Every structure is written in C-alpha cells, then in structure tokens.
Amino acid sequence: MYQKKTVLFAILILITPQLLLAQMERKRAVEDGPVEDIFLAASIVGMSTVTNLPHKNLNTTVMHNFGLISGGVDDFFGLDVGATVRLGIDYGLTDKLDIGIGRTSQENNVDVRLKYLVLQQLQSDKVPVQIALKANVGVNTQKENRFDFTFQERLNYLGSVMIARKFTDQFSLQITPMISHFNTTVIEVENEEQNHTLFAVGLGTRYKWNNRNALAFEYLPVLGNRNSGTTNHAALSLEIDTGGHVFQIFLMSGQWFTEQHLLARTNTDITDLDFRIGFNINRLFSLGD
C-alpha cells in the first residue's frame, strides 16, 4: 500500500508542473490576442477607422447631415434644409480585407472602397499599433449642363494609411496620413485656387465611458496648398451601441462623408460654432455558417 502511494505521489509531482505550464501557456495565448474595439464603427463620422469587418460579415450604413445651424429658426437650425445622404454596404472578403460601395446624394457620387488590415494591435504589446490601408475611388454621376465630362474626368480618389492604438479600455487614438486627387477641378471665380491633389494628416480619437456609449472626434487638417475658401473639417460624435446597431449622433463642419471631398470642399469652420447636425446608422450582419 505504501509503495502504491509513493508511486501515485511521484506521478502527481511529474504531472502537476506540466498542467500548470499548460494553463500558463493558455493564459499567455489569451493575453496575446488582438485588441478589440479600438474604434466601434468603420468610420467616426466621415473619417475611416482601422476597424475592419470579419470574414463573411456585412455592414450597412445610412449617413445623414442637414444644413448649418446658422440658418436659425427660419429653417429650424438646418433641419429643414435638404439632407445630404450616403448609403453604403461593406463586406468582409477575409478577416483582413473588406470591400464596400456607397452613393452620396451630393453630385450623385458613387464610390468603391477597399480596406486591408496590415497589423493588429496585440494585448501583449508585441504589436503596439493597428495599421490598415484604404483606397477609395469615386465617380460624379450628376448630369452637368455646362460641360461634357468624360467618365475619366468625373473620377476622384483617396488613399490613406490608418495607424491607431487603444491606450486603455476607454481611450483610442488614430493618425491617418492621406492623399486625395480629383481628375477635374472647376474654377468658378477668377484667380481662385483649385488643386487636383491635396494632402492631410487626419486625427481621430474615441473615449468610451461605459459599455454602450462613447464620444469620438475627427479632424482633417490639409497640409500645404489648399483650395480657395476652404477650411479644415472637424466633427464630434456621440456613439450608442445597442448590440445590433451602432448609432452616431454628431456635429460636423463638412457636408460630405467621403474624405477626398471633406478635404477639398469643406468651407465651414467649426470653431465659429457653426456646424451641421447629423446621424449615422450602422447595422452589422453575419452571413457565415
């Protein structure tokens, strides 16, 4: 009997360190997983985020903004002015690559975009940032009575590198170098400056104060030459996560929801306390097995 207990004790001594090691390895694997919810949605308001769609997931987006609040009571602080609307659909081709298409009521602009996740931030900090690349190609499909534009002349583009980090469970920051290009620019006023190509470094932040609500901010300062009469776009958004939907209620200076147009067309300075009220509705569907 004594020998049996001795053998059993020896086996436990041999097995226990292996079990503890296995548990520690599993714990390390969990801690070294990807950081989640750096940003909750694919865009803050108009500026895209590093957030990507998982494989076989579909996201539908309805974006609205209205007129400037400086219109006062006469147009109910912009709400009576016709809304700018963008309808979009994005799909995860893989866990790292998603594709989307959208249409904006301004100039009936149709845009196609690709987003590719290059690096994922890890909980262990072995990879301290998340990086994604984005390409967007748009086409102005609005009928133009003054000019006979070709298809190529109607095209506009955007390329960006999104670099983000979630510093705490509450706070995330993203910096986005970007370049936009319009094949055609129209000079409406003599001696005004209209650039085909513009450069910017976008800034985006998010502060989450509970499981359902967060505040987010975006700022798109143009670097170097800029179009006459334009200023830097900015927006402040309240995010509400209901589980299946993400609602974004915001104040924004620009009128567009595509970054190339925000760089080229924003002419309202939010520091003048004049801005547009708007909201976005994001709905995620899983189409996998």
Side-chain angles (χ1 to χ4, degrees), residues 40-41 43 59-60 62 206 212 238-248 280-284:
L40 192 58
S43 62
N59 186 68
T60 61
V62 181
R206 179 175 182 258
R212 296 292 186 184
L238 169 64
E239 297 181 348
I240 304 170
D241 181 10
T242 65
H245 293 80
V246 176
F247 295 94
Q248 296 163 310
N280 295 342
I281 304 171
N282 300 273
R283 181 67 169 97
L284 184 65

Side-chain angles (χ1 to χ4, degrees), residues 1-162:
M1 184 68 177
Y2 176 76
Q3 290 180 341
K4 290 182 178 179
K5 289 183 178 180
T6 301
V7 172
L8 180 60
F9 183 69
I11 292 173
L12 288 174
I13 291 176
L14 291 172
I15 291 177
T16 300
Q18 301 301 321
L19 292 175
L20 291 174
L21 182 60
Q23 289 177 349
M24 290 174 64
E25 287 177 347
R26 285 197 295 270
K27 185 177 181 181
R28 282 198 296 267
V30 172
E31 290 178 348
D32 204 22
V35 174
E36 297 180 349
D37 295 335
I38 297 178
F39 287 91
L40 192 58
S43 62
I44 296 175
V45 174
M47 182 177 125
S48 293
T49 70
V50 293
T51 298
N52 66 305
L53 283 173
H55 186 212
K56 294 185 178 180
N57 274 242
L58 179 76
N59 186 68
T60 61
T61 309
V62 181
M63 299 171 154
H64 299 76
N65 65 37
F66 300 91
L68 294 168
I69 65 165
S70 57
V73 176
D74 289 343
D75 59 20
F76 200 52
F77 302 99
L79 296 181
D80 286 343
V81 178
T84 296
V85 180
R86 183 185 184 273
L87 305 177
I89 297 177
D90 296 271
Y91 179 74
L93 295 175
T94 70
D95 284 334
K96 292 189 174 183
L97 177 65
D98 54 73
I99 186 172
I101 186 171
R103 182 185 183 276
T104 303
S105 57
Q106 286 286 100
E107 299 183 358
N108 299 335
N109 189 76
V110 177
D111 68 284
V112 176
R113 60 184 180 181
L114 286 170
K115 186 190 292 185
Y116 180 72
L117 185 62
V118 178
L119 285 177
Q120 282 187 293
Q121 183 183 346
L122 297 180
Q123 296 180 35
S124 67
D125 246 9
K126 288 181 180 178
V127 181
V129 296
Q130 189 142 315
I131 300 177
L133 306 177
K134 177 188 172 183
N136 183 295
V137 179
V139 56
N140 177 346
T141 66
Q142 188 176 58
K143 184 177 180 180
E144 174 58 67
N145 294 322
R146 295 176 300 171
F147 309 104
D148 186 18
F149 288 136
T150 65
F151 177 80
Q152 185 174 357
E153 289 172 330
R154 292 174 174 271
L155 294 176
N156 52 80
Y157 312 87
L158 180 102
S160 66
V161 181
M162 295 165 280

Side-chain angles (χ1 to χ4, degrees), residues 182-252:
F182 288 77
N183 282 356
T184 301
T185 60
V186 178
I187 297 177
E188 303 282 0
V189 179
E190 187 178 358
N191 295 326
E192 74 172 354
E193 182 177 355
Q194 293 291 327
N195 297 277
H196 289 276
T197 303
L198 296 169
F199 299 90
V201 177
L203 173 68
T205 64
R206 179 175 182 258
Y207 180 78
K208 178 181 177 182
W209 73 79
N210 60 37
N211 289 333
R212 296 292 186 184
N213 301 292
L215 277 176
F217 174 77
E218 67 183 31
Y219 181 56
L220 303 181
V222 174
L223 305 180
N225 294 334
R226 65 182 315 123
N227 292 342
S228 296
T230 64
T231 188
N232 298 328
H233 162 75
L236 179 66
S237 173
L238 169 64
E239 297 181 348
I240 304 170
D241 181 10
T242 65
H245 293 80
V246 176
F247 295 94
Q248 296 163 310
I249 303 170
F250 55 80
L251 310 175
M252 70 183 298

Side-chain angles (χ1 to χ4, degrees), residues 249-277:
I249 303 170
F250 55 80
L251 310 175
M252 70 183 298
S253 58
Q255 191 174 11
W256 290 78
F257 294 105
T258 43
E259 289 137 310
Q260 58 263 49
H261 292 90
L262 289 173
L263 299 183
R265 304 285 182 84
T266 299
N267 54 18
T268 303
D269 193 339
I270 203 167
T271 61
D272 293 333
L273 298 183
D274 197 11
F275 45 79
R276 306 169 194 278
I277 299 170

